[in-house]
Amino acid sequence: MDWNPHITVATIVEDHGRFLMVEESKGGRAVLNQPAGHLDPNETLIEAAVRETLEETGWDVEPTSVTGIYLYTAPSNGVTYQRVCFAAKALKHHPEYQLDDGILGAKWLSRDELLEQRDHWRSELIIRCIDDYLAGHRHSLALIRPSL
């Protein structure tokens, strides 16, 4: 049996109690997620988080810590994802940036606003990552070791 977990990154960007979220089209409906995506060949996890955040939101960010490492098996397709979630600070917005295909736009939402839109979450990981961030889970970026 082949089992290939997918390596993904996500970024928590918070500004005065509001979180940078992505609204994207998935399976014909609009869903909410953190800026997130797959690790590309020859890229570090930190580089992937910075790239995905820019591609999906138009924001340059600087990762500051690791919030957590999560395993999630999507009920819709049975695929297992390993998500490395970073906390980052927003540096600069590029409103003219051409966002990735399928991205409807970026939104700043509070945790309460996210809870009101639970039916639109891409997965339960979004609130888990935010709650871990709010609980103070901040691990050094040194946790992410370069490849050999």
Side-chain angles (χ1 to χ4, degrees):
M1 178 177 130
D2 283 339
W3 181 71
N4 298 308
H6 294 247
I7 307 298
T8 63
V9 294
T11 308
I12 302 285
V13 183
E14 186 255 344
D15 182 39
H16 296 94
R18 299 177 82 72
F19 297 92
L20 181 60
M21 303 300 294
V22 173
E23 186 174 32
E24 59 187 331
S25 179
K26 185 70 175 169
R29 66 185 200 104
V31 296
L32 293 168
N33 198 11
Q34 275 98 17
H38 290 83
L39 178 68
D40 282 351
N42 302 312
E43 140 180 275
T44 69
L45 291 165
I46 294 170
E47 290 168 345
V50 169
R51 175 186 53 77
E52 286 289 351
T53 304
L54 176 62
E55 290 177 352
E56 294 189 350
T57 69
W59 278 92
D60 288 326
V61 297
E62 179 184 341
T64 56
S65 60
V66 176
T67 302
I69 301 171
Y70 307 83
L71 276 181
Y72 175 75
T73 301
S76 61
N77 60 14
V79 173
T80 299
Y81 299 89
Q82 180 185 35
R83 174 187 268 204
V84 180
C85 186
F86 293 90
K89 66 179 177 180
L91 298 176
K92 181 178 181 184
H93 186 230
H94 304 276
E96 75 291 345
Y97 192 87
Q98 180 64 47
L99 303 180
D100 276 355
D101 287 343
I103 302 298
L104 304 175
K107 297 180 169 192
W108 291 91
L109 299 171
S110 69
R111 184 182 185 281
D112 288 342
E113 290 169 328
L114 277 169
L115 288 175
E116 292 169 4
Q117 299 183 50
R118 183 179 210 121
D119 290 343
H120 297 285
W121 293 354
R122 177 142 184 196
S123 79
E124 295 289 326
L125 277 177
I126 67 168
I127 204 69
R128 174 77 186 272
C129 292
I130 286 173
D131 285 347
D132 285 351
Y133 170 85
L134 291 171
H137 296 278
R138 309 277 198 307
H139 306 281
S140 169
L141 290 175
L143 180 69
I144 306 299
R145 308 299 293 162
S147 58
L148 300 175

